Amino acid sequence: MKKRCECGDTKKLHLRTVVYARKVNITRVPVYCCSRCGSHEVDSGVKGEIGSLIGQLGSKPAPRTIPFDQMNEWAGVLSLAMDTGKEPLEENLVARAAEERTNELLDLWLIAASLGDEIWKSELEGRLSQLRSLYIS
Ligand SMILES: [Zn+2]
């Protein structure tokens, strides 16, 4: 998992703790980092969600730790891949983790469907679409 850096080297994907307003630790955020020039960039797939999270926290948040991989499926998948391998994240491990998580969500969706639980179903559909749109892009 890497992309080109402006300096000509490559940025690699890591999971980092982002500190907001010096009080809130948002852990396991996917960030591309360049080891040559030190440039950092939040993965474009999660930028929107980080933005709205920060918006909800407001300008004077209470100190707390937010595990981002529990909120966002893509961060969850990367976190799973990291537990089975090492940083920087390898593409094949990420692909495998994404597939496992997708299958898990589909199993849950089938259970929700058989129970006729519409709220649970739509929550799972939201999670599945997070994975699909991010992973395929
Ligand atoms: Zn660079």
Side-chain angles (χ1 to χ4, degrees):
M1 305 304 284
K2 51 194 170 191
K3 63 195 286 187
R4 196 152 192 81
C5 181
E6 295 74 29
C7 75
D9 211 324
T10 48
K11 284 179 180 167
K12 289 179 181 150
L13 191 57
H14 297 266
L15 290 174
R16 286 282 136 84
T17 297
V18 172
V19 182
Y20 171 63
R22 294 190 194 162
K23 283 184 181 154
V24 181
N25 291 310
I26 307 169
T27 60
R28 299 204 150 189
V29 177
V31 177
Y32 280 95
C33 307
C34 175
S35 55
R36 185 167 161 203
C37 72
S39 150
H40 284 57
E41 183 189 338
V42 172
D43 187 345
S44 57
V46 301
K47 258 184 198 162
E49 194 161 344
I50 290 282
S52 63
L53 176 62
I54 283 172
Q56 283 165 32
L57 290 168
S59 59
K60 291 199 172 81
R64 58 191 281 210
T65 296
I66 299 170
F68 190 64
D69 62 334
Q70 309 283 307
M71 296 180 56
N72 179 276
E73 285 300 328
W74 179 233
V77 160
L78 294 174
S79 186
L80 205 69
M82 199 176 71
D83 289 341
T84 58
K86 275 188 181 156
E87 288 198 59
L89 293 156
E90 298 288 336
E91 214 144 331
N92 59 341
L93 284 176
V94 173
R96 199 184 310 152
E99 199 185 320
E100 274 171 25
R101 182 61 182 151
T102 301
N103 288 338
E104 198 178 301
L105 289 169
L106 285 171
D107 285 346
L108 290 173
W109 187 88
L110 288 173
I111 295 168
S114 71
L115 294 172
D117 189 332
E118 294 301 321
I119 294 168
W120 192 18
K121 253 169 75 179
S122 65
E123 196 223 308
L124 291 166
E125 280 159 14
R127 288 178 171 270
L128 279 163
S129 71
Q130 270 180 2
L131 273 185
R132 203 169 302 139
S133 59
L134 289 166
Y135 188 65
I136 291 168
S137 63

